[in-house]
């Protein structure tokens, strides 16, 4: 009695090539996204801040400024500059000028850790918000590693690394499928 062998769904060459092409295209897309991950993906991502995230200043800043990669809607921004006790050191309303959100602060700010909570609306209507942490004066270093500041550059790096990881997984999956279901010659 002769046993008949059931053909694999990938026994022909065209389904195998199609699967390999689709996986290769997906892998190229993931790598392209990983390499090109930038602020262009966001609706006005933060380009720069003053003070910089996590910066230690010798004296209080005159203002807190957040610069975006695209324009903002006029009169649609706010900034609250709080110390560790929750006191707001912002003076007057926040200013919006093109792609910059700024807030004057009280020059009598004592030494300490501060958080600037900012909100704005991008020109395309997307809400933008974040927190900028900085220190004024001689304050002992923070020993809590969970208070680390995640900067925009760190977010871009993490996004790129995650897409690269997905690209590698897709490419390996394609390789395994191609080598496992290759038609016998």
């Amino acid at each position: 009695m002769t046993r008949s062998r059931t053909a694999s769904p990938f026994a022909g060459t065209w389904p195998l090539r199609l699967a390999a092409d689709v996986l290769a295209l997906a892998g190229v897309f993931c790598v392209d996204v990983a390499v090109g991950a930038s602020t262009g993906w966001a609706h006005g991502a933060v380009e720069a801040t003053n003070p910089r995230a996590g910066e230690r200043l010798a004296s209080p800043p005159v203002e807190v400024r957040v610069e975006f990669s695209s324009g903002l809607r006029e009169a649609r921004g706010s900034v609250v500059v709080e110390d560790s006790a929750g006191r707001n050191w912002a003076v007057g309303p926040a200013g919006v000028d093109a792609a910059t959100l700024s807030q004057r602060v009280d020059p009598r700010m004592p030494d300490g850790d501060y958080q600037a909570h900012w909100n704005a609306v991008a020109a395309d209507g997307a809400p933008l918000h974040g927190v900028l942490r900085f220190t004024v004066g001689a304050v002992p270093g923070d020993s809590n590693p969970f208070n680390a500041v995640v900067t925009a550059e760190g977010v871009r790096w993490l996004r790129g690394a995650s897409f690269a990881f997905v690209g590698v997984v897709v490419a390996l999956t394609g390789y395994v499928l191609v080598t496992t279901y290759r038609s016998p010659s």
Side-chain angles (χ1 to χ4, degrees), residues 23-91:
L23 288 171
L25 185 60
V28 167
F29 172 76
C30 289
V31 170
D32 182 50
V33 168
V35 171
S38 69
T39 58
W41 285 64
H43 301 274
V46 175
E47 288 288 318
T49 62
N50 189 13
R52 291 183 314 273
E55 185 173 5
R56 290 184 173 272
L57 305 169
S59 59
V62 174
E63 69 177 0
V64 170
R65 193 171 58 244
V66 183
E67 297 173 15
F68 299 91
S69 61
S70 65
L72 300 174
R73 287 196 177 168
E74 296 282 333
R76 290 285 181 111
S78 67
V79 180
V80 175
V81 182
E82 292 181 330
D83 59 17
S84 58
R87 179 175 175 198
N88 185 6
W89 292 88
V91 176

Side-chain angles (χ1 to χ4, degrees), residues 21 28 48 59-60 81 85 103 107 118-119 122 127 136 140-141 143 146 154 160 170 175 184:
D21 289 345
V28 167
S59 59
V81 182
Q103 175 65 60
W118 54 266
N119 292 290
V136 173
S143 62
F146 297 105
V170 167
Y175 175 76

